């Protein structure tokens, strides 16, 4: 079995990447996830409590899903960043509930 | 790519840089520490230092689990793998780390069965497909990775997989931060808090940093915009004389952390009374060992482990660089005897070690005459 | 292929000759075959002083040999890729295209090649036949004649199916003089297209990572592209290289070292397919260090650069060609990758061996 070494690239132990769930297994213990067109089985046991469905985004770390990515938070965050400079002193207000 | 590209948007980055310049008091020197090795790597990979005003200094913390592993533990792992019919399985990060008699890769070239894996579950697969051999997974990492190892041990036990064990070198992040703050040489104004560790432990464990030590700490994502925004948030706190824990990486990090992951970890691991950290010495309650109920899958129980403590070569200043007391370029061996091609210490091997990052990304750049901000 | 450029007394800009690196590693590691810094140490520190004689010229993709006044390009290569077949190609195709490409980026048309097979006992004939067919097809497409060869068989357990070595000979295209010492600040850096496809394909084809995607190897002859560029811009072409093992980063670092100047490229201009990016992010790899088998890099004088790009884009398969950066005084001897928001990083040549047996 062989896998690449990232000795001059990114360290496995810290890096995690967002991926999209393509298909959840019957047992719901694992899922096929996709990162920009590359797919791999990912273990879901660490986020079993989330109700996961195809189209959901998860944070993948060494083949395990660590967290579900909240689209609202991500969008709100970007919105806040876009507003920076237009409000002056206090740019980091909590995303307002709509 | 979704959730990455948006956080690399040049216009938003420019805005974030403007904001930092606006918040930074030109009469003040800011020393901010990023704890996590992944942040060290990101800072260099995205050239973020080029964007910051010159009075903001980023100090690299000890959050690189490869870097803090003492050489003796690598020797121990290799000693186990030197037994007949043992396969040494580890992530790529471990492969070039020097032990006393060579790195795992060098041992592989001399005939040891060494395999690089991407996931701990790959180690299970290796054991399943090699029934005549024993697979020893050399596990490293902070709390980000420990839950995956825990689940893997649970699976090994559930499946009754007997030709599999874990050599556990998981360490915990809070004692490392404490060691930095306790160090008399350090003056840190604020912390960029670990991003992925926090998905597991949440943000509460950092409250003592803000409350007792009076330092802002902002849990940060890994994209340029995340890091820049986190720096701005720290500066904003400093400007207001505040010190609190903030979560910049909300889209991924839940404030309470991951309860399931913490439960699995508690089932499988317990804290070692103490563990030796490269450069930081022995720290109590800072590392995980496998519980008795999983003794059969604990490589330290299954095999005899020499357990010799090996000190770094005298001239190597890994410890001081790890603590952020010295810049990589200030170590006597940096760029001479110790290069990525011929690493003496693990900070030069791991891409998140400050020395490797500095060497690979920074060393030969021209120092910038001026940064992007104009300060009054 | 590492060849010593035969003696042209080129003027020196006061820049150092290749230093006399002595090879001190006690044993051979996989990294020595990876095409990066360890490979360079081996070649410069062991092969060069012992085989090539005391020279100070940089190493290149093909040797220049003059026989009775006729200048020929000569190259040799070994192919040890595993698995033998993969999406987009196979070891036989790599062998033909790789040889043709080494000659092409040295400014030569491949005229003929000879091939050696080291075969593992037990290799099914059908597998061998498929490779021979692939080589016949590839050589026809590339317009190169396979003039002969040799075969050896080794015991089961060695040679991993088969190893192929090739030797190719070519005739130089008129008006093209490749010499890194002729590179000047202001020269443009051209890249022919998407990077990282081949290396990632091999990695995924090994099957161990359980990653799936539709990425394919980019193996092809780059000679049509080189020919088009030279027809449009021959007087301006200073240097060419096919970025195989070690990727674009290694090739550009060799350029920077050999010309003593700085190479600055723009990250956003370097084309990487989404799937390659995704695989690299998942695995923690940098596309700049990943092998390509159908791309080439060129350094072209600024007054010729646009003409070269236009000519490349007219060639089928060359549509992705573009200028990715330029040569500058600083950072001398290094490669700088700039991003779109004002940050930059130095990219070194490959260290270690993230993707062994890639070609």
């Amino acid at each position: 079995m062989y896998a690449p070494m990232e000795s001059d690239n990114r360290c496995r132990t810290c890096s995690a990447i967002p991926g999209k769930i393509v298909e959840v297994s019957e047992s719901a213990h694992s899922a096929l996830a996709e990162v920009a067109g590359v797919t791999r089985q990912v273990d879901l046991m660490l986020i079993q409590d989330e109700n996961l469905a195809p189209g959901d985004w998860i944070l993948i770390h060494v083949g395990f899903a660590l967290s579900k990515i909240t689209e609202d938070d991500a969008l709100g965050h970007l919105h806040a960043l876009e507003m920076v400079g237009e409000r002056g002193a206090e740019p980091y207000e909590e995303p307002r509930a709509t | 790519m979704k959730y990455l590209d948006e956080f690399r948007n040049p216009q938003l980055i420019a805005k974030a840089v403007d904001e930092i310049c606006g918040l930074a008091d030109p009469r003040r020197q800011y020393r901010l520490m990023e704890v996590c090795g992944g942040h060290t790597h990101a800072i260099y990979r995205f050239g973020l230092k080029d964007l910051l005003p010159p009075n903001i200094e980023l100090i690299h913390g000890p959050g690189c689990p490869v870097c803090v592993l003492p050489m003796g533990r690598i020797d121990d792992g290799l000693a186990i793998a030197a037994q007949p019919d043992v396969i040494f399985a580890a992530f790529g990060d471990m492969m070039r780390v020097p032990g006393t008699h060579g790195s795992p890769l060098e041992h592989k070239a001399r005939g040891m069965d060494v395999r690089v894996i991407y996931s701990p579950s790959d180690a299970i697969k290796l054991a399943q497909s090699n029934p005549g051999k024993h697979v020893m997974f050399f596990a490293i990492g902070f709390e980000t990775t420990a839950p995956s190892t825990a689940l893997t041990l649970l699976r090994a036990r559930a499946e009754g997989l007997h030709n599999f064990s874990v050599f556990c070198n998981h360490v915990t992040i809070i004692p490392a931060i404490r060691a930095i703050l306790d160090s008399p040489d350090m003056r840190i104004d604020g912390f960029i808090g670990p991003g992925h560790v926090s998905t597991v432990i949440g943000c509460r464990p950092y409250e003592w940093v803000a409350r007792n030590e009076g330092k802002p700490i902002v849990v940060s994502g890994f994209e340029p915009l995340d890091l820049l925004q986190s720096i701005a948030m720290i500066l904003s706190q400093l400007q207001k004389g505040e010190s609190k824990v903030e979560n910049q990486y909300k889209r991924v990090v839940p404030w309470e952390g991951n309860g399931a992951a913490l439960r699995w970890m508690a089932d499988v691991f317990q804290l070692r009374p103490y563990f030796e950290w490269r450069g930081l010495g022995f720290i109590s309650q800072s590392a995980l060992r496998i519980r008795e109920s999983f003794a059969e899958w604990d490589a330290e129980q299954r095999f005899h482990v020499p357990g010799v403590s090996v000190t770094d070569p005298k001239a190597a200043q890994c410890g001081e660089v790890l603590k952020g007391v010295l810049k990589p370029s200030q170590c006597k061996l940096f760029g001479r005897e110790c290069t990525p091609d011929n690493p003496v210490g693990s900070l030069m091997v791991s891409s998140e070690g400050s020395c490797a990052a500095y060497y690979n990304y920074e060393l030969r750049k021209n120092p910038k005459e001026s940064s992007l901000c104009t300060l009054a | 292929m590492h060849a010593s450029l035969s003696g042209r007394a080129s003027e020196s800009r006061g820049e150092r000759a290749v230093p006399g690196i002595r090879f001190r590693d006690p044993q051979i590691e996989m990294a020595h075959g990876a095409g990066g810094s360890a490979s360079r140490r081996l070649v410069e520190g062991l092969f060069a002083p012992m085989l090539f004689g005391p020279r100070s010229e940089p190493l290149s993709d093909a040797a220049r040999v003059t026989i009775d006044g006729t200048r020929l390009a000569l190259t040799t290569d070994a192919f040890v890729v595993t698995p033998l077949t993969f999406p987009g190609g196979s070891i036989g195709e790599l062998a033909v295209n790789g040889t043709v490409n080494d000659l092409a980026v040295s400014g030569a048309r491949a005229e003929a090649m000879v091939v050696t097979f080291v075969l593992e006992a037990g290799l099914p004939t059908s597998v061998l036949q498929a490779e021979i067919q692939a080589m016949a097809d590839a050589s026809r497409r590339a317009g190169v004649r396979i003039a002969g060869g040799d075969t050896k068989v080794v015991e089961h357990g060695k040679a991993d199916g088969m190893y192929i070595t090739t030797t190719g000979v070519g005739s130089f295209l008129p008006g093209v003089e490749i010499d890194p010492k002729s590179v000047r600040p202001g020269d443009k850096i051209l890249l022919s297209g998407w990077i990282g496809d081949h290396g990632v394909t091999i990695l995924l084809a090994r099957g161990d990572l359980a990653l799936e995607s539709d990425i394919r190897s980019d193996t092809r002859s780059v000679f049509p592209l080189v020919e088009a560029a030279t027809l449009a811009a021959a007087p301006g072409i200073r240097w060419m290289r096919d970025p195989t093992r070690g990727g674009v980063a290694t090739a550009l670092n060799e350029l920077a070292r050999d010309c003593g100047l700085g190479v600055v490229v723009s990250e956003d201009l370097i084309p990487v397919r989404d799937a390659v990016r995704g695989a690299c992010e998942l695995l923690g790899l940098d596309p700049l260090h990943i092998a390509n088998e159908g791309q080439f890099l060129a350094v072209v004088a600024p007054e010729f650069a646009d003409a070269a790009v236009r000519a490349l884009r007219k060639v089928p398969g060359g549509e992705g060609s573009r200028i990715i950066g330029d040569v500058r005084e600083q950072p001398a001897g290094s490669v700088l990758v700039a991003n779109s928001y004002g940050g930059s990083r130095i990219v070194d040549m490959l260290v270690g061996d993230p993707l062994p047996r890639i070609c």
Side-chain angles (χ1 to χ4, degrees):
Chain A
M1 171 173 299
Y2 207 90
M5 290 170 285
E6 307 81 13
S7 51
D8 33 40
N9 296 286
R10 213 163 70 230
C11 196
R12 297 283 81 223
T13 47
C14 261
S15 62
I17 173 134
K20 185 168 73 172
I21 294 184
V22 173
E23 192 187 314
V24 181
S25 71
E26 277 202 22
S27 62
H29 290 172
S30 67
L32 190 66
E34 184 221 310
V35 177
V38 182
T39 59
R40 192 192 141 113
Q41 285 292 333
V42 171
D43 191 310
L44 296 181
M45 291 294 287
L46 295 174
I47 54 171
Q48 281 278 274
D49 302 336
E50 308 272 1
N51 268 325
L52 295 165
D56 283 344
W57 282 79
I58 51 174
L59 189 73
I60 305 170
H61 173 69
V62 299
F64 287 76
L66 266 192
S67 171
K68 182 174 168 183
I69 301 183
T70 334
E71 174 124 27
D72 287 347
D73 280 334
L75 290 177
H77 178 157
L78 288 168
H79 179 74
L81 288 165
E82 277 154 18
M83 298 299 288
V84 162
E86 291 168 45
R87 264 176 291 175
E90 187 57 80
Y92 296 108
E93 289 160 47
E94 295 290 283
R96 281 183 262 279
T98 47
Chain B
M1 289 175 58
K2 196 169 172 179
Y3 294 119
L4 289 186
D5 290 342
E6 307 92 318
F7 296 92
R8 300 182 190 181
N9 178 313
Q11 283 82 31
L12 292 181
I13 287 173
K15 282 197 174 191
V17 171
D18 281 341
E19 208 202 342
I20 289 173
C21 291
L23 285 166
D25 180 344
R27 297 159 300 181
R28 209 183 145 165
Q29 269 303 112
Y30 296 94
R31 287 166 59 90
L32 308 182
M33 174 177 275
E34 91 281 353
V35 179
C36 158
H39 283 144
T40 308
H41 183 96
I43 285 165
Y44 282 108
R45 190 217 174 297
F46 297 118
L48 295 182
K49 285 186 170 190
D50 297 339
L51 310 180
L52 296 175
N55 60 334
I56 297 183
E57 194 187 343
L58 294 178
I59 316 283
H60 308 310
C64 166
V66 174
C67 305
V68 298
L69 197 59
M71 207 187 280
R73 289 295 284 183
I74 299 158
D75 291 345
D76 287 345
L78 289 169
I80 295 172
Q83 315 277 324
D85 296 322
V86 176
I87 298 177
F88 179 104
F91 299 148
D93 329 349
M94 280 308 303
M95 289 299 152
R96 296 179 61 241
V97 180
T100 307
H101 304 293
S103 66
L105 247 196
E106 284 166 335
H107 278 80
K108 183 183 166 91
R110 296 198 284 266
M112 183 181 280
D113 196 341
V114 173
R115 316 278 183 106
V116 176
I117 55 175
Y118 163 75
S119 165
S121 49
D122 293 344
I124 298 257
K125 282 200 212 109
L126 255 182
Q128 285 164 339
S129 47
N130 288 278
K133 308 239 178 171
H134 182 96
V135 174
M136 183 208 78
F137 172 48
F138 192 107
I140 55 167
F142 284 95
E143 291 94 328
T144 326
T145 322
S148 306
T149 306
L151 277 180
T152 304
L153 281 162
L154 282 159
R155 212 175 121 198
R157 189 172 72 172
E159 292 181 17
L161 196 63
H162 296 294
N163 61 330
F164 173 76
S165 65
V166 173
F167 184 57
C168 180
N169 295 287
H170 286 300
V171 283
T172 56
I173 197 79
I174 297 297
I177 301 176
R178 224 179 265 284
I180 296 292
L181 284 165
D182 286 344
S183 173
D185 317 312
M186 290 315 295
R187 183 180 72 75
I188 305 287
D189 297 310
F191 289 89
I192 298 172
H196 295 135
V197 167
S198 306
T199 61
V200 175
I201 69 175
C203 300
R204 282 196 195 291
Y206 308 115
E207 282 170 355
W208 62 278
V209 175
R211 201 178 45 236
N212 301 0
E213 305 286 337
K215 309 286 183 192
I217 175 163
V218 176
V219 170
S220 173
F222 293 78
E223 296 307 306
L225 216 42
D226 290 319
L227 283 157
L228 291 171
Q229 189 183 25
S230 301
I231 291 171
M233 288 163 80
I234 295 171
L235 291 180
S236 176
Q237 287 194 37
L238 289 171
Q239 194 190 62
K240 292 185 234 157
E242 286 174 351
S243 59
K244 51 186 182 177
V245 183
E246 288 188 271
N247 182 6
Q248 184 278 341
Y249 201 15
K250 280 199 187 66
R251 63 189 185 275
V252 156
V253 173
W255 191 270
E256 299 298 333
N258 183 328
L262 291 168
R263 278 193 303 276
W264 297 128
M265 277 173 65
D267 281 352
V268 174
F269 298 120
Q270 63 189 104
L271 279 170
R272 295 180 193 262
Y274 55 83
F275 191 70
E276 189 187 356
W277 290 54
R278 188 171 221 149
L280 300 178
F282 284 88
I283 305 182
S284 61
Q285 314 266 310
S286 63
L288 302 178
R289 54 162 293 204
I290 298 172
R291 284 188 187 278
E292 268 309 305
S293 41
F294 292 86
E296 195 186 324
W297 296 274
D298 182 350
E300 284 174 274
Q301 306 262 41
R302 292 277 296 259
F303 296 93
H304 168 68
V305 169
V308 177
S309 176
V310 178
T311 47
D312 283 329
K314 273 208 163 43
Q317 294 169 287
C318 308
E320 280 101 324
V321 177
L322 259 172
K323 283 190 283 202
V325 172
L326 279 187
K327 288 204 204 359
S329 48
Q330 291 170 314
C331 168
K332 296 189 197 66
L333 301 186
F334 180 83
R336 286 179 276 273
E337 290 88 346
C338 188
T339 62
D341 244 337
N342 284 302
V344 173
S346 51
L347 281 82
M348 190 57 93
V349 171
S350 167
S351 58
E352 298 181 348
S354 342
C355 298
Y358 194 87
Y359 189 100
N360 287 326
Y361 294 123
E362 196 73 17
L363 180 59
R364 285 152 288 162
K365 269 163 81 168
N366 255 344
K368 288 280 173 108
E369 308 280 311
S370 58
S371 70
L372 285 187
C373 316
T374 49
L375 298 177
Chain C
M1 143 96 205
H2 354 279
S4 170
L5 286 178
S6 55
R8 266 189 64 194
S10 14
E11 102 279 307
S12 156
R13 260 194 299 269
E15 158 245 340
R16 56 176 170 82
V18 171
I21 304 161
R22 285 174 306 121
F23 184 70
R24 285 191 206 92
D25 304 32
Q27 64 184 34
I28 298 302
E29 307 282 344
M30 292 300 290
H32 295 118
S37 51
S39 299
R40 200 162 168 106
R41 264 206 325 276
L42 174 62
V43 172
E44 290 178 355
L46 192 63
F47 294 154
M50 297 187 74
L51 290 178
F52 304 152
R55 300 220 181 260
S56 60
E57 294 87 359
L59 304 168
S60 74
D61 282 309
R64 290 179 201 173
V65 176
T66 305
I67 303 177
D68 287 345
T70 306
R71 270 173 80 227
L72 294 172
L74 189 61
T75 191
T76 189
D77 237 314
F79 298 88
V80 297
V81 66
T82 180
L84 296 177
T85 62
F86 39 86
S90 65
I91 187 173
E93 251 187 275
L94 285 190
V96 171
N97 292 331
T99 311
V100 168
N101 291 347
D102 270 352
L103 291 166
V105 299
S106 305
R109 176 197 307 275
E111 300 289 356
M113 55 187 277
V114 288
V115 180
T116 307
F117 294 93
V118 177
L119 303 172
E120 180 186 359
L123 178 74
T125 306
S126 54
V127 172
L128 177 61
Q129 191 167 331
E131 284 318 311
I132 310 288
Q133 185 64 58
M135 293 180 79
D137 294 340
S139 66
R140 214 170 14 253
R141 279 195 300 272
V144 64
R145 184 180 143 229
I146 300 185
D150 186 47
T151 308
K152 294 288 185 291
V153 179
V154 292
E155 297 87 340
H156 182 71
K158 316 226 186 226
D160 228 342
M162 74 172 80
Y163 298 147
I164 302 179
T165 63
T166 61
T167 299
V169 65
S171 52
F172 284 101
L173 294 168
V176 182
E177 284 291 347
I178 309 291
D179 184 0
K181 290 196 169 62
S182 67
V183 172
R184 299 279 176 273
D187 285 348
K188 300 295 181 194
I189 310 213
L190 270 62
L191 172 63
S192 56
W194 308 99
I195 65 164
D197 290 11
H198 177 77
V200 172
T201 299
I202 298 296
L203 206 50
L204 268 45
R206 293 208 176 125
D208 313 320
L209 301 168
L211 287 177
E212 307 249 324
S213 115
D214 52 11
I215 306 168
R216 302 165 65 78
S217 169
D218 60 347
T219 178
R220 62 173 176 175
S221 159
V222 300
F223 182 74
L225 294 170
V226 169
E227 196 179 24
T230 55
L231 283 171
I237 298 182
R238 316 270 204 223
W239 175 93
M240 292 192 287
R241 178 80 29 111
D242 60 336
T244 56
R245 295 169 305 159
V248 166
T250 300
L252 291 178
N253 268 282
E254 288 174 348
L255 167 67
R257 264 194 61 166
D258 291 345
C259 71
L261 296 168
V263 170
V264 180
V265 297
S266 206
E267 188 147 48
D268 294 349
L269 294 177
I270 298 175
V272 183
R273 292 186 206 280
D274 278 348
V276 172
R277 268 187 80 193
C280 286
E281 289 278 357
L282 258 172
L283 299 169
L285 300 172
D286 186 346
L288 289 175
H289 283 125
I290 297 190
N292 310 278
E293 289 289 329
Q295 306 301 336
F296 84 105
L297 286 159
V299 172
V300 182
E303 59 273 24
F304 288 95
D306 287 337
V309 173
R310 273 197 304 273
L312 286 172
R313 287 188 181 164
K314 291 206 188 95
V315 177
E319 302 83 3
S321 307
R322 81 268 304 270
I323 296 172
I324 59 168
D326 54 11
V327 178
R328 305 194 189 168
E329 293 280 359
Q330 298 296 335
S334 293
V335 177
L336 192 76
V337 174
N339 58 40
S340 55
Y341 38 86
S344 64
R345 59 189 170 112
I346 294 280
V347 174
D348 207 349
M349 64 169 59
L350 178 65
V351 171
D353 187 15
L355 299 177
R357 305 270 304 275
I358 207 73
C359 62

